[in-house]
Every structure is written in structure tokens, then in C-alpha cells.
Amino acid sequence: MIDLRSDTCSKPTEAMRQAMAGAPVGDDVYSDDPTVKELEHEVAAFLGKEEAVYMVTGTMTNQVAIRAHTEPGDAVFFDQNAHVYILEGGAPAAYSGVLPRLLPGVRGVFTPADLRAAMGVPHRFFPATIPAPPKLLCIENTHNIGGGKVWPMERLQEVCSTAREMNLALHLDGARLWHASVATGIPEHEYASLFDTVSICFSKAMGAPVGSVLAGPRSFIARARRFKQQIGGGFRQAGIIAAGALYALRNNRERLVEDHHRAKMLAEGIAQLPGIDLDPGTVETNIVRFRVTNMRSTDFVDLLYDRGLHVLPSGTDGVRAIPYLNISDADIKRAISIIESVALEHAHESMEAMNSDGAETATAVRSSSGY
Ligand SMILES: *Cc1c(COP(=O)(O)O)cnc(C)c1O
């Protein structure tokens, strides 16, 4: 089975496992774990921030960041398709008690005018204005639902400086910031310099089994540590997993260019097939998203699965595929030929036919929908 559902499916290599097995550890809740500290120092320096804190997931680093930037009732600005807003279990509302204000991004990218419009006219009805001061803007780079879209630097600078004029704090969901940097040659710390806080992920594409880091100013990270503890994120001899993240930072970053190349190869290999709507020009990093035009994406995904390719249905007509560390050129070639065989065999089907001949009763058990 070739599994392209997500770059979270990457597995630690033998060398990473050895680094993990030999890592010195201590109780991280007492700040005693030397490997966690080493990771936090190295990431802070890498991103040009004063301090950093290691946590279990990207969701935790993002939501702790939102909690530490705000108080309940504050407004937070998100792109309408931001991971932090729609794919993190409702946490902004449930955990931080904030009011999401949505921006009409195109593949995650919006404009200074969008931000100004969302801010509206000062009035005490709106938590984003008076009497509570406006609080926070979250930006995602690269953008997951946007198909791995990279924020153009110039646009990012404009939006961030508009946010500063509006006195907003800025948080970067950089789960795939690596990919933006590898694609543009602009180093991570340059993107990070536009933001107060940044979270990055080691369990996606970088090959580590677990973990994310939140970086920012010293006083902010101290407050974030309190909320990390509050939601049960105090882990003890976490150095074992932190060693995997450290190994990834030092060894697996440069190779991401291979994943970008394979994503492009996949996109170009299937874009012309009947029933597939895909512009390879939109594939800027490691994520390939396309639409299936003649059947439901869950049915399409099940047909692929039966031939040895596992991809992720996204909504009713979307499909996502992502190459990563353990995926080779040969895997991509095979994936293309599997998609081709299914697309050609079903080229003359239409959505209506699928619905009326009972195919819709396919259980789609394997292809539980994701993003
Ligand atoms: C996956 C992802 C996260 C969350 O990471 P988890 O470790 O799965 O909680 C955050 N932001 C983006 C953009 C992601 O793709």
C-alpha cells in the first residue's frame, strides 16, 4: 500500500530511532530534561526568537498560543480555511473562549483590505474593537486547505504591517513553514521575524514521531508554559521524543525539496486524466489537491485503495495526496499509474449514474473523510 494521505504518516528512520534511544532525559515539568531544553534552545535560535516551548502537537502549540495571547471574549482573526480555526476541534471557542472573525482568503492568502474590512467600525458591540482592544491575527504558511500555498513575502509583509497598525498580535501557524522556506529560499527566521509567535511541527514531513514547538518572546513563552501545563501538556521524560525532533531539524529539512519535486511529478502525471480537475501550477510545495468531477471523492478514493493507493478524500469532491520522507520516485510512478487506471476505466461515468446505480451505497469505510 502506498500511503499518501498525509505527511504525518512519515515514520522515524533507524538513525532517528537510535538518537531517540540514546537521548539524555529528565523531568521536563521541573525543567530538568536536557534534550527538551536543547531542542527548545535550538528552535528559538533557528527562528530568531528569545525562547521556545516543546509540546505534543501542533494543535496544542497553536491553541496554547491563542490562549496566551487572549482573554475570553476577545476577537481573533483567522482565514476562513485556517487549520487553527476549523481543524482543531473547536478549540478557539472551547478552550480560549474567543470570537473568530473570518477573512476571505484565497487558498489562505488575504489582503490588508480584507483585514481592515473585518475589523469594522469601532463600536462596543464588537469585541474586536472597544472597549476590549483588538487582539490577534493568525496566519498559516504554507496553507494546508489552500493546497500547500506559500504566502508571497510582499503580501505577507503588507498584511503584517496592517495588523501592527491595528495593534494586533501576530501568530504564525508554521506547521509547514519548512516547506515555504525550501520553496522560496527565504529562511524560516525571516518569515518568523514578522510575527510575535510561531509554531512549527516535527511530526509532519520531518519524520519525527511526535511534537511541535512554539517560539516567541521570553515573557510570552513563560505564560504559554502555564497554559501547556493547564491542558495536561506537562510531559515528563519527553527528551526521548524531543530527540526525534532535534534529529529531524538537523537532518531532514534540506531533503523536503524532494517531496516538492515528487508532488509536482504526481500532479503533472494525473492532471490530464478524465474526471480529474487539477492545475499543476497550483502545486507549490508538498501538497497535491484535486477535484474528482464524475463521482464522489470517497468512491474514487475507495477504488484507488483497492489497487494499492491510499489518499485522503476532502469534502465531497476533493482529494489530497502528500509525498514525504518514506515515499520514493517509484512509489509516485506507481501512484500515477493506479490513478490513471481508475480514471480511464471510469471516464464515462457521471455523478448522476453513480448516484442512481447504487454505487453511492459503497461504505467508504477506508476513506473516512479528512482534510
Ligand atoms: C497538521 C496541522 C496542524 C496541527 O498539527 P497536529 O500535530 O496534527 O496537531 C496545525 N496547522 C496546520 C497548518 C496543520 O497542517
Side-chain angles (χ1 to χ4, degrees):
M1 182 63 66
I2 300 167
D3 189 353
L4 299 181
R5 281 173 301 168
S6 175
D7 42 4
T8 53
C9 298
S10 61
K11 296 198 177 120
T13 56
E14 203 43 53
M16 181 184 283
R17 285 173 186 271
Q18 270 167 27
M20 294 171 71
V25 296
D27 189 328
D28 180 53
V29 176
Y30 298 121
S31 301
D32 276 352
D33 191 302
T35 309
V36 170
K37 282 187 175 165
E38 194 179 349
L39 173 67
E40 290 175 345
H41 288 146
E42 200 159 314
V43 170
F46 177 77
L47 292 174
K49 298 295 179 199
E50 277 178 2
E51 239 183 87
V53 52
Y54 180 49
M55 298 187 215
V56 183
T57 62
T59 298
M60 194 185 278
T61 50
N62 280 331
Q63 298 304 330
V64 162
I66 291 171
R67 180 65 193 88
H69 274 294
T70 61
E71 292 302 337
D74 285 339
V76 178
F77 295 91
F78 302 102
D79 166 60
Q80 59 190 352
N81 286 314
H83 195 285
V84 277
Y85 162 60
I86 37 176
L87 297 180
E88 299 190 1
Y95 176 56
S96 294
V98 295
L99 176 73
R101 300 300 308 274
L102 301 183
L103 302 163
V106 176
R107 300 183 65 214
V109 176
F110 46 87
T111 65
D114 293 333
L115 188 55
R116 286 208 175 85
M119 177 63 95
V121 180
H123 191 287
R124 65 166 60 87
F125 289 165
F126 303 125
T129 54
I130 51 174
K135 276 292 160 61
L136 177 66
L137 169 65
C138 295
I139 289 182
E140 185 174 323
N141 193 24
T142 67
H143 198 280
N144 179 348
I145 293 182
K149 171 81 185 158
V150 179
W151 269 78
M153 189 46 137
E154 205 172 317
R155 173 68 67 80
L156 192 60
Q157 285 165 335
E158 286 166 11
V159 165
C160 289
S161 71
T162 303
R164 294 289 181 207
E165 284 164 26
M166 293 162 59
N167 285 320
L168 294 170
L170 282 155
H171 173 70
L172 173 62
D173 177 0
R176 295 190 184 81
L177 183 60
W178 327 100
H179 298 88
S181 290
V182 164
T184 60
I186 298 169
E188 286 84 344
H189 65 82
E190 234 175 283
Y191 287 112
S193 70
L194 300 172
F195 294 84
D196 300 297
T197 57
V198 181
S199 64
I200 52 170
C201 259
F202 291 98
S203 62
K204 284 195 176 130
M206 294 285 276
V210 181
S212 271
V213 173
L214 172 64
R218 185 157 294 122
S219 59
F220 181 92
I221 296 301
R223 183 168 152 86
R225 285 186 195 280
R226 176 192 157 207
F227 291 118
K228 171 190 171 187
Q229 192 68 22
Q230 187 182 77
I231 53 167
F235 41 9
R236 305 296 183 171
Q237 283 72 33
I240 294 213
I241 49 174
L246 256 180
Y247 183 92
L249 182 61
R250 293 170 185 169
N251 298 283
N252 290 350
R253 185 186 163 282
E254 308 277 314
R255 64 153 302 286
L256 294 175
V257 65
E258 293 175 33
D259 297 342
H260 295 188
H261 174 72
R262 291 189 179 111
K264 199 77 168 177
M265 191 172 140
L266 175 64
E268 284 168 355
I270 64 174
Q272 305 304 323
L273 294 172
I276 287 180
D277 177 13
L278 193 171
D279 173 3
T282 61
V283 178
E284 297 177 33
T285 55
N286 64 334
I287 301 179
V288 180
R289 284 185 182 274
F290 59 91
R291 284 188 343 105
V292 181
T293 58
N294 61 353
M295 66 178 95
R296 293 188 320 183
S297 59
T298 45
D299 294 327
F300 186 73
V301 166
D302 276 357
L303 290 167
L304 297 178
Y305 187 90
D306 289 339
R307 295 178 194 202
L309 173 64
H310 206 176
V311 292
L312 199 69
S314 172
T316 52
D317 64 354
V319 175
R320 189 185 81 174
I322 311 186
Y324 50 87
L325 184 60
N326 318 95
I327 299 294
S328 65
D329 283 349
D331 292 328
I332 296 296
K333 282 183 190 140
R334 209 171 125 54
I336 292 170
S337 76
I338 292 170
I339 295 172
E340 182 176 53
S341 70
V342 168
L344 294 179
E345 276 171 41
H346 294 266
H348 301 295
E349 273 167 39
S350 68
M351 194 68 109
E352 293 68 34
M354 284 298 282
N355 288 341
S356 60
D357 71 5
E360 65 179 330
T361 58
T363 51
V365 275
R366 301 178 202 103
S367 50
S368 66
S369 195
Y371 279 89

